[in-house]
Amino acid sequence: MSSGDDPECVTSTATNGHHGHCVTVESCPYAYYVSGKCPSYGFHVKCCYSCHLGGCQTESSSQIYFHSQTFESLGIRGFVGDVLRWAVEEGQKAGIEVWAWFEYGLMASWSSSPTVPAFSTAAHNRGWMRGEANGYWWMDAGNTEVLDFLAGMMQDALDNYPGLAGVQLDDHFAQPSQLGTDLVLTMTNAARRILGQVSGRVSFSPIVPTSLSVNGYNVDWVSWVKEDIGFHEYVPQ
């Protein structure tokens, strides 16, 4: 169970004798929750008093599993646990390289609304959104604030976790063609900007075939390979 820790919620007790947890409405057993006690989250997160029955969770796209000053600067709660530190330490014991996977890339959320969950709300309020495609809300690759935020989180991982081998972006570092078919150069410039700010090794796991990557997601990663724009490796998927 991953639950929030807004003080007004976790210090309160319901008639069933249990303390509250800030979780999504859908995951609160028997909908035993109250509103207004989880201000650090979006409106879809409430203070639930039945989490002892199991199932409670906060929205995954507002959760992070490592310490990041850049993420914390948004003023929302998302830190679940220091999974990355555990992974790095265990990897070192076993002689295994550990890379931090930034799976969401330029996606803000999977939702019918650009203001669900809390991170998506923060991105929307800052004017970072480009639009919706395939059920996901995507941030704008042409917005330097978006790119600096992503690069900042990646650098936080490298700075805060000695022994981390590198960081990886994947096929969600993209702009679907539904948002525009003239964004190939925008994505190339976005990649260059991020690579210019991150001091460690950065891996990229792009879509294949390359025609789908270019025509469907505006990512001409083959040209990035030829021009050697700075990725440590390419791991096609």
Side-chain angles (χ1 to χ4, degrees):
M1 178 184 75
S2 297
S3 58
D5 59 353
D6 275 6
E8 189 176 356
C9 175
V10 298
T11 59
S12 63
T13 305
T15 55
N16 64 358
H18 290 276
H19 291 292
H21 298 277
C22 293
V23 303
T24 58
V25 170
E26 296 81 4
S27 70
C28 180
Y30 301 105
Y32 190 21
Y33 62 80
V34 297
S35 301
K37 292 182 179 292
C38 300
S40 295
Y41 295 87
F43 69 88
H44 70 303
V45 171
K46 309 294 184 183
C47 187
C48 177
Y49 296 97
S50 53
C51 287
H52 61 288
L53 299 175
C56 287
Q57 60 183 352
T58 52
E59 191 72 34
S60 60
S61 57
S62 286
Q63 294 179 353
I64 59 171
Y65 298 86
F66 70 104
H67 287 290
S68 170
Q69 307 91 295
T70 302
F71 185 90
E72 292 169 1
S73 71
L74 296 179
I76 60 176
R77 298 180 187 274
F79 179 72
V80 175
D82 206 349
V83 177
L84 184 56
R85 187 169 304 283
W86 169 84
V88 170
E89 291 176 352
E90 293 303 311
Q92 289 178 323
K93 293 176 185 177
I96 299 173
E97 281 193 348
V98 173
W99 292 65
W101 180 28
F102 286 78
E103 180 194 8
Y104 260 66
L106 290 170
M107 293 194 313
S109 66
W110 181 78
S111 174
S112 60
S113 168
T115 57
V116 177
F119 171 73
S120 192
T121 300
H124 179 267
N125 291 343
R126 286 167 170 76
W128 289 0
M129 292 295 197
R130 182 167 182 90
E132 183 273 337
N134 304 320
Y136 291 92
W137 287 90
W138 296 76
M139 294 184 288
D140 186 357
N143 187 317
T144 56
E145 289 186 7
V146 170
L147 303 178
D148 294 350
F149 172 78
L150 181 54
M153 287 190 66
M154 294 165 71
Q155 191 62 52
D156 288 344
L158 292 163
D159 290 344
N160 295 339
Y161 297 85
L164 184 67
V167 292
Q168 184 183 70
L169 293 169
D170 70 0
D171 57 313
H172 296 144
F173 181 66
Q175 299 280 258
S177 58
Q178 294 95 320
L179 304 179
T181 56
D182 57 345
L183 299 173
V184 173
L185 180 58
T186 298
M187 280 305 307
T188 297
N189 290 338
R192 289 184 182 277
R193 185 178 181 92
I194 286 178
L195 290 168
Q197 295 186 47
V198 179
S199 62
R201 295 192 293 180
V202 183
S203 171
F204 185 53
S205 182
I207 293 175
V208 290
T210 55
S211 58
L212 175 60
S213 183
V214 174
N215 299 325
Y217 292 91
N218 287 289
V219 175
D220 186 7
W221 63 270
V222 172
S223 72
W224 298 358
V225 174
K226 293 177 179 177
E227 296 173 21
D228 191 17
I229 68 171
F231 283 108
H232 172 72
E233 64 179 6
Y234 293 83
V235 187
Q237 57 177 295

